Amino acid sequence: MVGAVGMVISLFTAGALIYVVDVSTNIGVGITVVGLVCLFVSIFACSWGPCVWVVASEIFPLRLRGKAVSVTTFVNWLGVFVVAQITPLLLEPKVLNVQGMFILMGVFCTLAFFFVLFMVPETKGISLEAIGTLFQRSSWLEITQPMTYLREEFIAYLCCRTPQVHTVGHKSTGQATAAV
């Protein structure tokens, strides 16, 4: 989640700098934008980049995992191909131009942040069999129930308060674990 915040900040800052200052006449701003792009790439490579492969390998039941991961890999690379084909078209001055492209990507990163915050359950410390049970629940609301404590911790962090400690029950095992 910290990676998403870093990516959003670097993208929006680069877009705002290009919008406000003429990069072709101000070399310092141009170097700053290049630095922000490098920051974005390094944050992505350390956070969101590897997470795609971890989540894809965890969410499927053992009996389907091999085939399902191959399909998710294909879809991932198909998405990369589509983005690579569309980006030059969007960079045209009559479409979005460079600053608009940075802002658009920042918006997508912001949406991805909230999607993961509210829709993707935490799987840290859960066995692969239990993860399979977690994703077999009937609704996304049930699936993301273990994420409640993380949402509360995030909101507490934003509001500068200490998060409450409470118990999260697991339907599949009947066990309860303490969460911060």
Side-chain angles (χ1 to χ4, degrees):
M1 301 303 288
V2 173
V5 172
M7 291 187 310
V8 166
I9 290 170
S10 63
L11 288 170
F12 281 138
T13 304
L17 280 174
I18 294 171
Y19 181 75
V20 172
V21 179
D22 183 14
V23 180
S24 62
T25 60
N26 190 331
I27 191 75
V29 174
I31 291 171
T32 303
V33 170
V34 170
L36 288 167
V37 170
C38 290
L39 178 66
F40 168 81
V41 170
S42 63
I43 291 171
F44 176 82
C46 294
S47 60
W48 284 66
C51 286
V52 170
W53 307 110
V54 172
V55 171
S57 66
E58 287 182 343
I59 63 174
F60 299 107
L62 290 172
R63 61 186 174 81
L64 300 175
R65 186 161 294 143
K67 291 178 182 175
V69 169
S70 66
V71 170
T72 59
T73 301
F74 171 75
V75 170
N76 184 32
W77 282 109
L78 182 65
V80 169
F81 175 78
V82 168
V83 169
Q85 297 304 309
I86 290 175
T87 299
L89 302 173
L90 294 176
L91 287 172
E92 293 292 325
K94 293 180 182 176
V95 184
L96 279 179
N97 60 34
V98 176
Q99 67 266 21
M101 192 65 185
F102 278 115
I103 300 298
L104 178 67
M105 293 301 167
V107 167
F108 279 123
C109 281
T110 304
L111 294 173
F113 171 84
F114 286 108
F115 175 81
V116 170
L117 181 65
F118 293 110
M119 302 301 281
V120 178
E122 175 61 60
T123 58
K124 181 180 179 182
I126 301 175
S127 69
L128 285 176
E129 294 78 17
I131 290 173
T133 305
L134 179 69
F135 280 96
Q136 287 177 352
R137 294 186 182 173
S138 62
S139 73
W140 277 105
L141 186 59
E142 286 182 49
I143 290 172
T144 59
Q145 193 63 30
M147 290 294 291
T148 303
Y149 70 93
L150 288 177
R151 284 191 288 270
E152 290 174 2
E153 184 176 307
F154 176 72
I155 292 168
Y157 174 76
L158 290 178
C159 300
C160 301
R161 350 178 229 125
T162 305
Q164 300 293 324
V165 176
H166 64 285
T167 303
V168 177
H170 297 285
K171 284 185 177 179
S172 62
T173 61
Q175 298 175 335
T177 58
V180 176

